Every structure is written in C-alpha cells, then in structure tokens.
Amino acid sequence: MDEGDQKALGETRARISREIVRLQAEYYGKGPTRAKTYIMDDVVVVVQEESSTRAEKTLAERGEREAIQHIRRRFQQQMADSFIGIVEQATGRRVRAFLSETDIDQDVSVETFLLADER
C-alpha cells in the first residue's frame, strides 16, 4: 500500500469514527469519549469507549445490566440503517451484515460491519 492509499485509509477510518460518535451523541444525548475504526479486507470494526449515559451507569450500579443490554440492542436495531449508511458512504461498499455488542462493566462497545464484494 503506497502513501496515498494509507492516507486515504486513515481518512476513511477517521470519518467513520467521527460520524458514529456524532450519531450516538445525537440519539443518546452523549457519544463515546474515544472511538477507533479498524478496516481489514471486508471487515470494519468501530471500538467505542466511555459511551454509557448517566442513567445507564446508575442502572448498572443497581444490577440492571440486562436492561441496559436490551435497550442498547433495540437502539442498534432501530438505528442500523444510519450506522450502515455511514460505513457505506465512507467505504463506497455495501454492508452485508452489521453486528453490535456492548460490555457494560468495561463501558466498551464494538460495532462490526461485514462488507459485500467491492463495487
């Protein structure tokens, strides 16, 4: 990969991270404090840290982790098209699968996108 390709890849990763954070902040009222995007072959992974809201932290402290997981999964299902749109626009490729998971105790979320064949 030449220098131009590396720069373009870095810009794509930064754009995806920035837009995912923006979308979460818009809909949750708070976005993650850190986000990093990895792109390898047909996989895009966005790792986000410290994205829990004050309400979620309070519920977690009271043992309601399952409720938080349920709400987060529902949110991801409802927002899937928006998340997918960010990755498709940034990469120029269609997303064929989107998976999301959150570790409440570590306050880390991972969004994984599997890309279809190149356009």
Side-chain angles (χ1 to χ4, degrees):
M1 183 179 300
D2 68 20
E3 190 175 322
D5 290 341
Q6 287 180 346
K7 183 177 179 187
L9 181 60
E11 290 171 359
T12 299
R13 290 192 314 250
R15 178 179 175 191
I16 291 169
S17 293
R18 186 174 53 252
E19 289 299 310
I20 294 287
V21 167
R22 181 196 58 76
L23 190 64
Q24 291 215 347
E26 181 180 337
Y27 287 97
Y28 268 125
K30 177 191 181 304
T33 60
R34 287 190 298 269
K36 186 168 182 178
T37 298
Y38 302 86
I39 301 174
M40 295 185 335
D41 300 322
D42 295 337
V43 179
V44 176
V45 177
V46 183
V47 178
Q48 303 161 89
E49 297 186 48
E50 299 178 5
S51 63
S52 295
T53 65
R54 180 175 288 149
E56 289 172 328
K57 288 177 185 177
T58 300
L59 286 171
E61 289 168 3
R62 296 180 183 181
E64 295 291 335
R65 284 168 183 76
E66 285 184 36
I68 298 165
Q69 291 284 20
H70 177 74
I71 291 166
R72 287 230 167 195
R73 282 190 189 107
R74 292 295 307 225
F75 174 79
Q76 296 304 74
Q77 289 169 355
Q78 295 301 313
M79 298 304 301
D81 289 344
S82 297
F83 281 89
I84 288 168
I86 288 168
V87 172
E88 288 183 339
Q89 249 188 342
T91 63
R93 295 177 65 189
R94 191 175 60 79
V95 170
R96 67 182 178 100
F98 167 54
L99 307 144
S100 178
E101 192 56 63
T102 301
D103 183 316
I104 301 298
D105 294 326
Q106 296 300 313
D107 200 0
V108 175
S109 297
V110 179
E111 316 297 344
T112 305
F113 303 85
L114 301 178
L115 303 175
D117 294 335
E118 293 210 33
R119 290 184 187 169

